[in-house]
Amino acid sequence: MASLRPGSASYLEGLNPEQRRAVEATEGPVLVLAGAGTGKTRVLTTRIAHLIATGRARPYDILSVTFTNKAAREMKHRIGALIGPAGEGMPWLGTFHAIGTKILRRHAELVGLKSDFTILGMDDQLRLMKQVIADQGIDEKRWPARALSHAIDGWKNRGLSPEQVPPGEAGAFAFGKGGALYTAYQARLATLNAVDFGDLLLLCLKLWRENPDILQNYQSRFRYILVDEYQDTNVAQYLWLRLLAQGHRNVACVGDDDQSIYGWRGAEVDNILRFEHDFPGATVVRLERNYRSTGHILAAASGLIAKNEGRLGKTLRTEDVEGERVTVTGAWDSEEEARLLGEAIERLQSDKHPLSEIAVLVRISAQMREIEDRFVQLGLPYRVIGGPRFYERAEIRDALAYLRVTANPADDLAFERIFNTPKRGLGDATLQALHAHARARKVPLVVAARGLVETDELKPRARSSVRALVESFSRWARLVETQPHPEVAQTILEESGYTEMWQKDRSADAAGRLENLKEFVRSMEEFPDLAAFLEHVSLVMEASEAEGADRVSLMTLHAAKGLEFDTVFLPGWEDGLFPNQRALDESGRAGLEEERRLAHVGLTRARKRAKLSFAVNRRIHGLWSSTIPSRFIDELPEACVDVIDAPAHYSAGASRFDRNPAPFGSSYGTPGWQRAQANSANGSGFGKDAYNRSPGGRAGGPRQIEGELLAKSTGSPSAFHGGMRVFHTKFGPGTVAGVDGNKLTVDFDKAGRKMVLDSFIQPG
């Protein structure tokens, strides 16, 4: 170590002035505000190398906390590469949970455990919670174990033990029994000598608060503390770090308040915003030089995020070329949006652009279905990052299994998947009896079930459930002959109890699963019958990922954090979808600011090209709605953006965008920006003042009327009248049922009742 001279150390070479300042500010609290692509990992690893190389600390004197095991491994590798073997022994470099586990195993008896305690996975946690719910005499169908798990995990993320949970919150679950269930669950964990992931920090807090001497030992042990992704810490992690940092106070937190996008899972952006208050006299270093994106992309992202009030403030810059402007394009509907997107990628591919350097980032997973279908039609290889493909999601596979059995009662694999989903009191014994009966008679399971329910071989409850199920399949099969297949699918999901199962599930992902099921049913409308739809899905699922590494990446914006690509497509930039209406309803301004941070993250994933799009009509919750471009589009700096309006046949008033029907991949001219006040004057829905607002000023989503497509009215009288036969290019022929100014209510022969502007209608 003595041979390493920091004044000429090679590991400091190549750092820009801000990075070097962050590395060399070793004493006292330091906050490094590291924007996207500014080299924060390099700063962290070089800082650790510098502490060791200069003799300020030995490897085991440094606590370095990351959020993923992958990040911890990468940091150890980089430190070793910088200063050699001296940096390889880092016993206290790891995730919060890994370090918490190490501490608890050393002092397990002080928190009521043995050192060989077990860390339960989610399946075991749910099984244990079901037992606790049953012991309290609570109906698990009404108050599912997954919902209790979500509540307890939220309390633990906030550092709350059972006795610290506010009475109002504890009383909100199971008619006031939430607190008692939490207490009983913790008691069962202790009996089993087990913990869950939330306990790994919560019990550390308990250990240190009840044993000040042990806390003081760890405060003295860690001469330097470094924290990565500080903006993503929750309350428990914040309290954990605060206690440790009261020793030497040499705590360096690296993060970006503009990339705090995980509030839905407990992250508190306020942790980074109040750092200077928590640590008076802290050194703040802003890393603003971006090494990833071109100038126009950075300027667009910086201009957008500047609209947030809850931020410490920094402006990303680059010494790279300005590059292409961010492009915004409009499509008639999401199907056309997917088509344009696919064609743009094909053009890039023909220009030798690697598919692996192209990403499509969506706000919600339900957007993926149409995009995936289009990729399959075009033969574009793709991968879904951070989750399964649309048709491979558990809820979609379940729905498909119901449809497969309805269409083909001999499909035993599908029947096995859902015969007890949702729960019908049918266990392995019932399934074994069905298999035995089927093998003996060489018939499918459904046929065997019909025969078995006429005997006494099954217990009464199981026999009743099996009879009801097979009778349902027979009834659904008859419906296929007389009703549109999307309606049949909806009926199956409702009558089977499958939709209700997810409606009652209070877990964080339940709402997303319900959205996916609605999109699944909607997707069937594009096919002539159930058989054609099932064949299509089979072909989609057959598209193997063994087609080579060169594939387009498809993922949600949340899953994209930390990744980068040459070209990024960002579809679905519409108010209500993005910013997401649920986030606005639940969190108000805080929700809007997190959505804007998410938009910032999406833009800064792009190195060379960022391509935004919106649809002027989208099916939301099964209803067609006219939509307005996201307010985030309106907030992008003019000089950095080329805007392409909606297609020429969209004519609901003048637009703030120049009309130019060129698709995604074309070259663009100079943007002509019509300002918001002009739109306000002419009635356009595209200006800031035209966005729908609900009481209290909270942003609203698309204007909807159930069963109708609502378009904006210009107020001029219509030439159409009730009873008149008309034709619409998308919905086909229909009859005018009502006239309100230039808005028509039309009963379309196939599409049902819609409300449209008469400018979309032709006599006929």
Side-chain angles (χ1 to χ4, degrees), residues 29 249 276 279-283:
R249 295 186 79 251
E276 292 179 88
F279 298 98
T283 299

Side-chain angles (χ1 to χ4, degrees), residues 718 720-724 735-747 753-756 758:
S718 175
F720 295 86
H721 57 80
M724 187 174 181
T735 303
V736 177
V739 180
D740 178 12
N742 71 331
K743 292 185 293 184
L744 306 180
T745 300
V746 182
D747 289 327
R753 175 163 291 193
K754 311 286 182 185
M755 183 176 285
V756 296
D758 59 8

Side-chain angles (χ1 to χ4, degrees), residues 197-209:
F197 276 87
D199 287 326
L200 297 175
L201 294 185
L202 187 67
L203 292 179
C204 276
L205 294 176
K206 175 182 172 66
L207 170 70
W208 290 335
R209 286 165 175 163

Side-chain angles (χ1 to χ4, degrees), residues 38-61:
T38 57
K40 73 174 180 63
T41 303
R42 183 178 185 183
V43 165
L44 271 173
T45 53
T46 306
R47 183 180 173 88
I48 293 173
H50 183 64
L51 291 172
I52 296 172
T54 57
R56 287 179 169 85
R58 295 160 294 186
Y60 46 83
D61 294 331

Side-chain angles (χ1 to χ4, degrees), residues 35-93:
T38 57
K40 73 174 180 63
T41 303
R42 183 178 185 183
V43 165
L44 271 173
T45 53
T46 306
R47 183 180 173 88
I48 293 173
H50 183 64
L51 291 172
I52 296 172
T54 57
R56 287 179 169 85
R58 295 160 294 186
Y60 46 83
D61 294 331
I62 300 171
L63 170 66
S64 183
V65 187
T66 67
F67 268 79
T68 67
N69 291 315
K70 178 182 177 182
R73 290 192 298 269
E74 182 181 354
M75 286 182 63
K76 286 182 179 180
H77 175 75
R78 288 200 190 190
I79 294 166
L82 287 173
I83 61 173
E88 293 178 358
M90 293 283 295
W92 296 101
L93 192 162

Side-chain angles (χ1 to χ4, degrees), residues 430-675:
T430 303
L431 186 59
Q432 290 171 6
L434 289 175
H435 272 297
H437 198 81
R439 284 195 300 269
R441 290 157 181 78
K442 297 183 179 180
V443 295
L445 287 176
V446 171
V447 176
R450 289 196 184 102
L452 203 57
V453 296
E454 303 304 326
T455 71
D456 294 328
E457 296 180 50
L458 297 178
K459 294 181 179 180
R461 181 182 176 187
R463 185 165 63 247
S464 175
S465 294
V466 172
R467 177 181 286 110
L469 183 61
V470 296
E471 287 177 352
S472 292
F473 275 116
S474 297
R475 182 174 66 260
W476 298 331
R478 292 193 296 270
L479 290 179
V480 172
E481 304 297 325
T482 60
Q483 294 185 10
H485 52 289
E487 292 182 17
V488 175
Q490 188 66 44
T491 298
I492 291 172
L493 292 175
E494 290 174 358
E495 291 186 355
S496 66
Y498 191 77
T499 298
E500 183 183 15
M501 179 186 78
W502 287 114
Q503 288 172 338
K504 290 183 176 180
D505 191 303
R506 295 170 185 261
S507 61
D509 61 349
R513 293 183 188 272
L514 287 168
E515 292 289 344
N516 290 339
L517 289 171
K518 291 172 183 174
E519 175 61 24
F520 171 77
V521 172
R522 194 195 74 73
S523 70
M524 299 176 68
E525 297 176 3
E526 301 169 18
F527 300 88
D529 52 39
L530 180 58
F533 172 71
L534 292 175
E535 179 180 321
H536 165 76
V537 173
S538 297
L539 294 174
V540 170
M541 297 179 73
E542 184 65 25
S544 171
E545 291 200 1
E547 299 174 16
D550 196 31
R551 299 190 295 274
V552 178
S553 296
L554 176 60
M555 71 199 85
T556 64
L557 284 157
H558 283 101
K561 190 166 179 291
L563 303 178
E564 55 187 77
F565 304 87
D566 283 348
T567 301
V568 171
F569 290 87
L570 297 152
W573 279 45
E574 301 135 30
D575 257 27
L577 178 58
F578 191 41
N580 188 266
Q581 190 62 41
R582 185 181 297 114
L584 302 182
D585 289 342
E586 292 177 355
S587 304
R589 178 173 294 278
L592 175 61
E593 296 211 343
E594 180 157 320
E595 290 288 294
R596 192 177 282 113
R597 292 194 292 269
L598 193 56
H600 174 81
V601 167
L603 285 168
T604 54
R605 299 311 94 196
R607 297 192 194 101
K608 299 178 180 178
R609 299 171 201 88
K611 298 183 176 295
L612 283 58
S613 63
F614 63 89
V616 298
N617 296 290
R618 190 175 293 274
R619 187 77 65 90
I620 301 174
H621 305 308
L623 305 176
W624 277 106
S625 301
S626 63
T627 62
I628 56 177
S630 170
R631 69 196 68 192
F632 297 155
I633 294 177
D634 203 42
E635 295 171 354
L636 297 172
E638 301 175 25
C640 310
V641 180
D642 279 340
V643 182
I644 293 84
D645 198 7
H649 56 276
Y650 176 67
S651 57
S655 168
R656 63 162 288 187
F657 306 134
D658 275 349
R659 291 194 180 278
N660 181 344
F664 286 100
S666 303
S667 59
Y668 305 99
T670 303
W673 215 280
Q674 299 179 10
R675 298 313 304 157

